Amino acid sequence: MSRSAGQPMILIENVSKYFGSFRALDRVNLSVEAGEVLMIIGPSGSGKSTLLRCINHLEAPDAGRIVVDGIALSNNEAHINAVRAEVGMVFQRFELFPHLTVLENICLAQQKVRRRSRRESEEIAWQLLEKVGIPEQAHKYPGQLSGGQQQRVAIARSLAMQPKIMLFDEPTSALDPEMIKEVLDVMLALAAEGMTMVVVSHEMGFARNAANRVVFMDQGRIIEQGTPEAIFGAPQHERTKLFLSRILH
Amino acid sequence: MAIEHDQLIPSRPTVTWRTGLAQFPWWLVIILTIISIMVLRIIFDPIHRDIFITISQGLGVTLYVTVVSFSLSLVLGLILGLGRVAKNPILRNLAITYIEFIRGVPMLVLIFTISFAVVPLVARTFGLPNNAVSLTTRAIIALVLIYGAYIAEIFRAGIESIGRGQMEAARSLGMSHVQAMRYVILPQAVRNVLPALGNDLIAMLKDSSLVSVLGVREMTQVARLSVSTSFRYEETYFILTLFYLSLTLVLSLLLQLLQRRMRAKG
């Protein structure tokens, strides 16, 4: 695409977003390099999910500029679809399509958006199901799978579009504790392959093992950012300290 | 203390002949008995048999009007339902205007208005004579225009019952709004509203009797014509009732079977 060498993969400039009179994002600036694994933490209502959802225009910012892989996100429908094709998203509640089998879930957008043949899309789907470790579930419906399995299918569904960026919106928050690891393992493998990732999550294990940078948000602003060691080991701001003292037992 | 302990343990629910009797579908037995008595009279009494044969000549038209009208109102209902949930305010308001208009007027009045005012008006603007459209066609047009509005509301409810996340997931995979509707939202919405659509099919079967006022020779009209010369009110209207009751009963049992099968599938 139009991104030149040295340009960031995601560029967020002065982005603000209001819900009614509530200011969800307040002049946020952030850039993410290609291959970087960025983690966003913060209390609920701090704007971290909203920021993530602005990157693929599920929320339209009220002010500011977002450039993804060299494409400026405007209200231009063609630009938005171009960006969405490059950006995969994983939701807290999986959002698999319940009327389709696992295999069909992974194939649908490949066929309708990427215009791949049935054979080609199924081949890719099988490879991805191997990768996330559940090929034996291919012909089941999402409702027959555990939460962890569903989330792994959701990741496979996004990867099938061969995105350059993967967004994760609290991917383990809706999971039973014993299923969190199987999802995190898939995410760790993805990070190791060099995928550009933006992850909204409080999984400290993932942060220490995979994140290059941690961003702390509160009240719609980025309060501080740095390496996981710096943020968790020696936070500079009072609000960061307070937040971390609450989530790290 | 032993007595108190016994009281803490709830008595095990036992299937007695009492609960068995209470759960038996007696209503079905009663209805089937009434139908059987009527059927016996039709078999053994020549007067009843003649009336039965007369009314059965309208059965084809009743079924034809019902099936054609219902199929077309599904199409109109889907279009109006999609308009009803459209983001475009012009489309949405047009759909709401139509739906509220139809739902605010009695069905019988609408059948007269559409058949004798709207259809001739449209026919005239296309330079056609007043009698260019047959009465059966007018009846179908009227039923479709009316039921389209009611079915639109069913589709709207179905679409709105699908969580926002499904649309977001589809869009985030790069699908257009239309693709997301077509492949993700509508298949789920339609499945959710199948019971409601089934109810409307039964209602359509019953409401098809209203087009007898147009002179369409469906069962009710045939019965009315027959009665006007035979004066056998009791026999005729009881047998007419039997026809509708049997049809709706069979239809509702078929729909329940279909639903059970779909539920079993997943």
Side-chain angles (χ1 to χ4, degrees):
Chain A
M1 293 273 175
S2 49
R3 183 173 64 99
S4 48
Q7 253 191 324
M9 194 62 125
I10 304 169
L11 182 66
I12 296 167
E13 279 180 349
N14 265 319
V15 164
S16 296
K17 172 75 186 172
Y18 291 82
F19 293 113
S21 61
F22 176 72
R23 188 161 54 193
L25 293 175
D26 184 8
R27 286 160 295 164
V28 172
N29 287 288
L30 186 68
S31 75
V32 184
E33 303 300 323
E36 193 177 11
V37 176
L38 180 83
M39 200 148 164
I40 306 175
I41 60 171
S44 71
S46 61
K48 51 197 195 306
S49 281
T50 305
L51 183 61
L52 195 73
R53 291 159 59 83
C54 281
I55 297 173
N56 68 352
H57 215 267
L58 284 182
E59 304 289 355
D62 292 314
R65 198 165 80 105
I66 296 178
V67 184
V68 178
D69 193 30
I71 308 165
L73 268 180
S74 57
N75 281 323
N76 181 329
E77 187 78 10
H79 283 192
I80 293 168
N81 284 339
V83 164
R84 280 179 178 153
E86 305 300 327
V87 181
M89 180 136 185
V90 174
F91 298 84
Q92 182 178 355
R93 304 217 56 90
F94 330 132
E95 300 300 349
L96 292 177
F97 307 135
H99 61 300
L100 301 177
T101 64
V102 165
L103 200 65
E104 289 165 343
N105 260 280
I106 304 175
C107 289
L108 180 64
Q110 292 192 67
Q111 290 166 6
K112 302 303 172 195
V113 179
R114 291 277 192 241
R115 302 266 162 226
R116 288 180 191 145
S117 70
R118 191 193 153 108
R119 240 193 79 192
E120 192 188 355
S121 60
E122 286 188 354
E123 236 165 68
I124 292 169
W126 281 111
Q127 284 169 14
L128 288 166
L129 281 174
E130 290 285 349
K131 184 174 177 166
V132 299
I134 39 175
E136 71 281 1
Q137 313 288 351
H139 297 294
K140 288 193 184 163
Y141 286 90
Q144 298 169 291
L145 270 55
S146 74
Q149 290 171 330
Q150 288 191 51
Q151 194 60 298
R152 286 188 280 163
V153 173
I155 294 173
R157 181 176 69 176
S158 283
L159 291 176
M161 302 301 284
Q162 282 145 348
K164 294 181 179 167
I165 301 164
M166 283 289 283
L167 308 176
F168 292 85
D169 191 2
E170 309 209 26
T172 56
S173 311
L175 296 177
D176 290 332
E178 73 270 24
M179 289 166 189
I180 289 174
K181 186 175 177 298
E182 63 191 55
V183 171
L184 289 181
D185 284 346
V186 171
M187 291 170 64
L188 283 170
L190 214 52
E193 286 169 21
M195 175 67 78
T196 308
M197 291 164 70
V198 182
V199 182
V200 170
S201 173
H202 295 149
E203 291 297 335
M204 292 305 144
F206 181 79
R208 285 184 212 284
N209 289 323
N212 304 112
R213 183 150 55 111
V214 175
V215 169
F216 173 70
M217 287 184 73
D218 194 16
Q219 292 173 353
R221 292 183 195 175
I222 292 178
I223 305 299
E224 73 176 289
Q225 51 181 303
T227 62
E229 295 78 28
I231 296 290
F232 298 131
Q236 300 300 304
H237 284 259
E238 277 312 311
R239 275 193 271 177
T240 319
K241 286 179 195 165
L242 185 67
F243 175 72
L244 289 172
S245 73
R246 281 183 187 151
I247 66 162
L248 301 173
H249 316 287
Chain B
M1 293 308 266
I3 296 160
E4 273 182 30
H5 180 72
D6 274 356
Q7 282 169 340
L8 283 174
I9 300 168
S11 60
R12 191 159 51 95
T14 47
V15 183
T16 62
W17 62 273
R18 266 167 186 279
T19 51
L21 278 183
Q23 265 158 27
F24 193 81
W26 292 109
W27 65 273
L28 193 60
V29 174
I30 297 167
I31 288 180
L32 287 177
T33 309
I34 295 170
I35 289 177
S36 308
I37 293 169
M38 293 294 289
V39 168
L40 285 176
R41 291 175 79 176
I42 288 163
I43 291 172
F44 294 109
D45 176 32
I47 294 172
H48 278 81
R49 196 182 317 145
D50 284 349
I51 294 170
F52 176 83
I53 292 167
T54 306
I55 293 179
S56 70
Q57 286 162 358
L59 177 63
V61 177
T62 289
L63 293 179
Y64 170 77
V65 168
T66 304
V67 170
V68 173
S69 304
F70 190 73
S71 312
L72 293 176
S73 24
L74 284 180
V75 178
L76 179 64
L78 182 59
I79 294 168
L80 285 170
L82 286 170
R84 184 72 180 69
V85 296
K87 276 193 200 128
N88 184 324
I90 298 170
L91 279 180
R92 196 176 58 239
N93 276 287
L94 281 176
I96 296 174
T97 306
Y98 180 83
I99 291 166
E100 292 304 320
F101 193 97
I102 295 289
R103 296 207 307 172
V105 182
M107 203 172 289
L108 191 57
V109 175
L110 279 171
I111 287 173
F112 282 128
T113 310
I114 292 167
S115 307
F116 296 130
V118 177
V119 171
L121 202 72
V122 174
R124 262 206 308 284
T125 47
F126 285 102
L128 296 165
N130 256 351
N131 58 358
V133 186
S134 77
L135 282 171
T136 308
T137 309
R138 291 186 207 199
I140 290 172
I141 291 172
L143 286 175
V144 169
L145 292 181
I146 296 164
Y147 265 72
Y150 288 94
I151 289 176
E153 285 297 285
I154 295 180
F155 278 122
R156 177 190 62 80
I159 291 166
E160 285 176 353
S161 74
I162 308 300
R164 219 170 68 123
Q166 288 283 303
M167 177 56 90
E168 290 182 348
R171 296 306 301 274
S172 77
L173 287 165
M175 279 186 238
S176 67
H177 184 84
V178 173
Q179 283 178 324
M181 264 291 170
R182 164 82 181 74
Y183 299 112
V184 177
I185 307 298
L186 279 181
Q188 297 181 58
V190 168
R191 191 186 269 209
N192 286 355
V193 301
L194 276 183
L197 290 178
N199 285 342
D200 264 29
L201 173 58
I202 292 172
M204 176 75 96
L205 177 69
K206 293 187 288 181
D207 286 339
S208 72
S209 65
L210 291 172
V211 305
S212 61
V213 297
L214 304 181
V216 175
R217 285 175 167 257
E218 44 71 68
M219 293 194 301
T220 307
Q221 176 65 2
V222 171
R224 287 194 336 165
L225 286 175
S226 160
V227 128
S228 68
T229 53
S230 71
F231 304 108
R232 292 200 175 272
Y233 291 97
E234 271 174 43
E235 296 89 337
T236 309
Y237 285 124
F238 276 138
I239 291 175
L240 181 62
T241 305
L242 173 78
F243 264 101
Y244 282 108
L245 189 60
S246 318
L247 283 175
T248 53
L249 202 63
V250 168
L251 204 54
S252 95
L253 288 177
L254 280 178
L255 288 167
Q256 272 179 38
L257 218 73
L258 186 80
Q259 241 171 282
R260 210 167 294 171
R261 206 183 253 187
M262 288 205 53
R263 216 173 293 151
K265 240 177 111 186

